[in-house]
């Protein structure tokens, strides 16, 4: 026997009529999802109430339906006709654009026939190419891709093809099967057929030769012997092709090792040699050069080899002294005293006593690396100075009134404090040592004197373990600093917080009068490092952890307050990671 049906629960209905839209919504409380026959009967009995502005929409009549279908058909045909007309007009527009581009191409070709560069003689164009590729270290192949006339001018100018680099493939290049065709303006050759093609374009012009090998890629002694054999084989190919190759410049660079050239240059002609750069001992090569060469203009070599060329340096302009021993100091002194045209000097690993002090008025650039000296050279006209870990024995005042660029790497602030450089524009500082050493060095140079003698316009801080608050105080002491570049150095929010402008009350005295007070107060902005306009912080290579949130907030506040204080920053860039740079001035990050 079936179970009797349970009585239905009472239902309540809530009816709401929207005045904006003509729709009725019913809310059912305590009902199931399905609607029964009893529910339908109840719904039929419900009264429908309309608003005062609502009317029932009557159903369309058969005439209205026929009229609407006819209208839809007409509009469909009309849209199709308009679309076809649009496509026709679009095709016509495309044809007109093609005609315009063809006409513009003909116009440019005709204008190019009478352009000033086309009227240049080939000799003058070749000179322009030569200056461009030499000074800018650009590739000749780029010029050849411009037009047929430029390609012909480049191929018929042997002086453009004098720079050849003999090198070996590294393990990465062998694996990736990639290589660069040009390096710093030199055509790269690592196979005999490449070298033969390069020498065919050279003709009989003296050669600029650069021999480069990365001995760090040698995994064993046998690998090194193979690479050396490949380079010597390329030199023999050059001898067979040119019979007696003439060299205008020679550079031998062996990274992380020594390349044994032996007697590979016996058949070369060095009478035209002007530039020689050999960063390793090669006595046989230098004896050959000493017999043939005239006067050199640029020389960089080891001390023992330079002594064999001391009679060829009367007109030297650039000189690099590498690893001089104490026994060669007197020879070095005589070389420098007789080099009256010397404008650039580089000294590495040399001990100079005070009795060897010399005066060189023509010197413009000086590079000292691991030099033990009081101050070896009196050079009043020096403009560029680079000092890398300098070991000093004494300290004295060094006045360089013409110096505009100073690069210093070291931890001794006592030595840097000796410089008086009133015309300095750029200071590049690598402060070695721990935080305490860097702090003491910077205090000795900038924080102990009210008027520091080193006050650059551009300050570059690289790879330094400096406290951000100390750096802020240094910037406040540099009253001329307009640009700050920080690289591989940890920066915290303390740097930007210490440079925030502040409002301070300034009191000015006035004359006594009936309607005036003895003094009046006025709020003015106090702006640390007021002349600072550019800040660039690159911390992508720094190993220190960064609090980017606090750094972003402090940087944004600094940019905003500088703008309010009428001392805006023109550029403010930060790169905390390798993701990219953030421009706080342009993008307004966090403001």
């Amino acid at each position: 026997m079936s179970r009797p049906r349970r009585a239905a629960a009472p239902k309540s209905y809530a009816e709401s009529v929207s005045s904006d839209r003509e729709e009725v919504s019913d809310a059912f409380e305590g009902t199931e999802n399905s609607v029964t026959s009893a529910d339908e009967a109840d719904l039929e009995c419900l009264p429908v109430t309309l608003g005062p502005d609502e009317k029932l929409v009557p159903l369309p009549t058969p005439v209205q339906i026929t009229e609407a279908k006819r209208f839809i058909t007409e509009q469909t045909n009309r849209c199709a006709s308009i679309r076809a007309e649009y496509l026709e007009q679009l095709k016509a527009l495309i044809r007109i654009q093609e005609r315009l581009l063809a006409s513009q191409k003909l116009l440019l070709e005709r204008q190019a026939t009478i352009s000033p560069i086309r009227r240049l003689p080939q000799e003058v164009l070749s000179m322009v190419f030569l200056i461009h590729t030499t000074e800018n270290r650009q590739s000749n192949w780029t010029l050849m891709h411009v037009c047929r006339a430029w390609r012909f001018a480049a191929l018929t100018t042997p002086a453009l093809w004098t720079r050849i680099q003999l090198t070996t493939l590294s393990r990465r290049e062998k694996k990736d099967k990639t290589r660069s065709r040009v390096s710093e303006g030199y055509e790269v050759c690592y196979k005999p057929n490449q070298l033969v093609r390069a020498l065919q374009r050279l003709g009989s012009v003296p050669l600029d030769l650069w021999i480069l090998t990365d001995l760090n890629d040698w995994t064993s002694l046998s690998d090194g012997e193979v690479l050396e054999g490949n380079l010597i084989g390329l030199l023999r190919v050059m001898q067979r092709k040119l019979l007696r190759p003439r060299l205008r410049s020679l550079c031998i660079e062996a990274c992380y090792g020594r390349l044994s050239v032996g007697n590979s240059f016996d058949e070369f002609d060095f009478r035209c040699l002007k530039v020689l750069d050999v960063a390793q001992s090669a006595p046989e090569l230098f004896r050959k050069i000493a017999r043939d060469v005239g006067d050199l203009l640029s020389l960089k070599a080891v001390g023992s080899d330079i002594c064999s060329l001391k009679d060829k340096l009367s007109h030297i302009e650039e000189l690099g002294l590498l690893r001089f021993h104490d026994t060669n100091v007197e020879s070095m002194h005589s070389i420098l005293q007789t080099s009256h045209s010397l404008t650039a000097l580089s000294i590495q690993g040399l001990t100079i006593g005070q009795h060897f002090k010399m005066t060189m008025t023509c010197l413009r650039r000086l590079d000292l690396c691991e030099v033990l000296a009081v101050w070896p050279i009196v050079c009043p006209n020096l403009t560029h100075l680079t000092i890398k870990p300098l070991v000093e024995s004494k300290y004295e005042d060094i006045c360089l009134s013409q110096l505009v660029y100073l690069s210093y790497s070291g931890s001794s602030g006592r030595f840097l404090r000796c410089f008086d450089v009133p015309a300095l524009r750029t200071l590049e500082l690598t402060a070695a040592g721990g935080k305490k050493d860097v702090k003491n060095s910077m205090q000795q140079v900038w924080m102990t004197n009210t008027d520091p003698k080193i006050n650059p316009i551009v300050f570059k801080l690289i790879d330094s373990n400096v406290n951000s608050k100390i750096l802020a105080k240094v910037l406040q002491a540099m009253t001329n600093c307009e640009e700050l570049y920080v690289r591989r150095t940890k920066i915290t929010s303390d740097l930007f917080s210490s440079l925030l402008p502040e409002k301070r009350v300034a009191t000015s005295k006035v004359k006594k009068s009936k309607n005036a007070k003895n003094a009046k107060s006025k709020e003015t902005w106090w702006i640390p490092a007021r002349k600072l306009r550019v800040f660039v912080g690159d911390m992508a290579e720094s190993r220190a952890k960064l609090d980017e949130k606090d750094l972003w907030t402090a940087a944004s506040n600094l940019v905003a307050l500088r703008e309010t204080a009428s001392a805006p920053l023109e550029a403010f860039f930060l790169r905390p990671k390798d993701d990219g740079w953030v421009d706080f001035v342009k993008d307004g990050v966090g403001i």
Side-chain angles (χ1 to χ4, degrees):
M1 185 175 180
S2 62
R3 187 177 181 179
R5 182 180 178 182
R6 182 179 297 179
K11 310 176 183 62
S12 60
Y13 304 91
E15 178 180 278
S16 62
V17 180
S18 175
S19 60
D20 298 333
R21 297 178 298 174
E22 297 180 357
E23 61 181 18
V24 179
S25 62
D26 298 331
F28 302 89
E29 298 179 0
T31 63
E32 299 178 355
N33 294 335
S34 62
V35 180
T36 64
S37 60
D39 297 335
E40 293 179 355
D42 293 339
L43 289 174
E44 291 177 357
C45 299
L46 282 175
V48 179
T49 305
L50 298 176
D53 298 332
E54 295 179 335
K55 296 181 181 180
L56 289 175
V57 179
L59 296 176
T61 62
V63 176
Q64 291 176 339
I65 293 175
T66 304
E67 188 74 18
K69 290 182 177 179
R70 184 180 59 81
F71 178 78
I72 292 173
T73 303
E74 292 178 355
Q75 286 298 111
T76 302
N77 296 334
R78 186 178 179 184
C79 290
S81 175
I82 294 174
R83 179 173 178 79
E85 184 181 357
Y86 165 75
L87 293 177
E88 283 294 328
Q89 296 293 340
L90 183 60
K91 292 179 181 178
L93 178 61
I94 293 175
R95 288 193 296 268
I96 293 174
Q97 288 179 345
E98 292 176 351
R99 290 168 51 194
L100 177 61
L101 292 176
S103 178
Q104 289 177 343
K105 183 178 179 181
L106 292 175
L107 176 62
L108 291 176
E109 290 178 354
R110 186 52 58 91
Q111 288 177 342
T113 58
I114 61 173
S115 61
I117 190 66
R118 191 177 179 87
R119 297 197 297 268
L120 280 179
Q122 183 177 342
E123 294 80 6
V124 179
L125 189 61
S126 300
M127 293 177 62
V128 174
F129 289 172
L130 187 60
I131 295 174
H132 170 71
T133 56
T134 303
E135 294 185 356
N136 300 325
R137 293 182 175 269
Q138 296 296 319
S139 172
N140 305 326
W141 301 96
T142 306
L143 301 173
M144 295 175 61
H145 294 162
V146 175
C147 61
R148 289 190 297 270
W150 283 32
R151 178 182 177 85
F152 178 78
L155 288 175
T156 55
T157 307
L160 286 174
W161 308 98
T162 60
R163 290 171 295 173
I164 296 178
Q165 180 190 102
L166 303 183
T167 185
T168 56
L169 284 177
S170 63
R171 291 197 302 267
R172 178 185 59 81
E173 291 173 333
K174 288 182 179 179
K175 183 179 180 180
D176 299 342
K177 297 182 180 180
T178 59
R179 72 170 184 89
S180 56
R181 192 173 190 176
V182 178
S183 175
E184 299 186 15
Y186 283 75
E187 185 175 357
V188 179
C189 300
Y190 63 96
K191 291 183 178 180
N193 56 349
Q194 297 172 343
L195 180 58
V196 170
R197 287 196 298 267
L199 295 177
Q200 288 175 352
R201 293 186 292 266
L202 175 65
S204 59
V205 180
L207 178 66
D208 298 320
L209 184 59
W210 180 11
I211 300 177
L212 173 65
T213 180
D214 190 356
L215 305 190
N216 194 32
D217 280 336
W218 295 6
T219 57
S220 63
L221 183 60
S222 59
D223 292 340
E225 294 175 352
V226 170
L227 293 179
E228 276 191 358
N230 292 339
L231 290 175
I232 294 175
L234 292 176
L235 291 176
R236 291 174 180 173
V237 170
M238 186 178 295
Q239 292 178 12
R240 290 196 302 266
K241 187 65 180 178
L242 299 179
L243 297 181
R244 188 172 175 81
R246 295 191 300 161
L247 295 183
R248 183 174 57 186
S249 66
L250 174 61
C251 176
I252 300 178
E253 183 177 353
C255 303
Y256 303 102
R258 181 179 180 273
L259 181 64
S260 301
V261 294
N263 56 357
S264 303
F265 290 93
D266 289 347
E267 300 300 326
F268 281 72
D269 187 356
F270 293 100
R271 289 177 295 179
C272 300
L273 190 67
K274 296 298 180 184
V275 179
L276 180 60
D277 185 353
V278 182
Q280 65 179 39
S281 179
E284 297 179 1
L285 174 62
F286 276 82
R287 282 195 294 268
K288 166 67 176 175
I289 295 175
R291 291 194 300 266
D292 298 345
V293 75
D295 288 330
L296 291 171
L297 298 180
S298 177
L299 173 62
K300 183 177 181 181
V302 179
S304 57
D305 294 331
I306 288 181
C307 295
S308 61
L309 296 175
K310 61 182 179 180
D311 297 333
K312 312 291 183 179
L313 306 179
S314 58
H315 296 86
I316 194 75
E317 296 178 359
E318 299 180 5
L319 180 60
L321 308 176
L322 305 178
R323 300 189 298 275
F324 257 82
H325 300 292
D326 295 340
T327 55
N328 304 125
V329 173
E330 294 184 3
S331 300
M332 184 274 301
H333 183 264
S334 62
I335 290 173
L336 295 181
Q337 290 291 80
T338 56
S339 303
H340 303 292
S341 303
L342 191 63
T343 59
L345 175 62
S346 175
I347 304 177
Q348 177 181 348
L350 178 64
T351 302
I352 305 176
Q354 188 172 5
H355 58 284
F356 283 117
K357 206 167 190 179
M358 61 201 76
T359 301
M360 304 183 69
T361 57
C362 296
L363 196 63
R364 296 291 184 272
R365 294 176 177 269
L366 179 61
D367 187 351
L368 300 177
C369 182
E370 299 177 358
V371 175
L372 178 63
V374 180
W375 179 244
I377 300 171
V378 178
C379 37
N381 296 319
L382 196 68
T383 59
H384 292 72
L385 174 61
T386 301
I387 303 175
K388 298 178 182 179
L390 184 69
V391 184
E392 321 90 28
S393 57
K394 291 184 180 181
Y395 308 98
E396 59 181 11
D397 292 337
I398 304 169
C399 182
L400 301 173
S401 59
Q402 305 296 325
L403 194 71
V404 296
Y405 175 84
L406 174 60
S407 176
Y408 180 78
S409 300
S411 59
S412 177
R414 292 181 299 169
F415 179 69
L416 197 59
R417 186 179 58 180
C418 299
F419 284 93
D420 184 4
V421 283
L424 186 65
R425 174 171 179 79
T426 303
L427 172 63
E428 185 173 316
L429 179 62
T430 302
K435 286 187 177 181
K436 186 176 181 181
D437 296 334
V438 175
K439 177 182 177 181
N440 294 335
S441 299
M442 292 191 171
Q443 284 180 342
Q444 292 173 1
V445 179
W446 288 285
M447 300 168 63
T448 56
N449 299 326
T450 56
D451 186 17
K453 298 179 180 180
I454 300 180
N455 197 353
I457 298 176
V458 180
F459 182 34
K460 298 180 180 180
L461 186 63
I462 302 173
D463 201 7
S464 299
N465 192 10
V466 61
N467 183 278
S468 294
K469 292 184 178 180
I470 298 298
L471 179 57
K473 293 181 179 180
V474 170
L475 289 177
Q476 296 177 27
M478 293 182 180
T479 55
N480 294 334
C481 185
E482 299 179 5
E483 301 178 14
L484 173 62
Y485 300 88
V486 181
R487 183 183 178 190
R488 295 198 302 268
T489 300
K490 181 181 178 180
I491 300 176
T492 64
S493 58
D494 293 337
L495 173 62
F496 306 133
S497 301
S498 302
L499 296 177
L500 288 176
E502 298 178 3
K503 275 192 173 182
R504 295 184 177 182
V505 178
T507 304
S508 59
K509 294 183 179 180
V510 297
K511 295 182 180 179
K512 294 183 179 181
S513 62
K514 295 181 180 180
N515 299 324
K517 297 180 180 180
N518 295 337
K520 62 179 181 179
S521 300
K522 181 180 179 182
E523 285 189 345
T524 59
W525 283 101
W526 176 76
I527 305 174
R530 176 180 288 272
K531 292 186 178 181
L532 187 65
R533 293 292 179 267
V534 177
F535 176 83
V536 179
D538 186 1
M539 298 165 286
E541 301 178 13
S542 177
R543 298 180 180 179
K545 294 183 179 180
L546 301 175
D547 190 347
E548 293 189 15
K549 185 177 180 181
D550 292 345
L551 193 67
W552 254 234
T553 303
S556 303
N557 292 337
L558 177 61
V559 173
L561 278 179
R562 294 274 302 204
E563 184 75 25
T564 305
S566 301
L569 295 171
E570 298 176 359
F572 195 103
F573 295 94
L574 277 179
R575 188 174 73 154
K577 298 179 181 179
D578 293 331
D579 300 339
W581 292 92
V582 180
D583 187 353
F584 283 77
V585 174
K586 182 179 179 181
D587 300 336
V589 179
I591 300 177

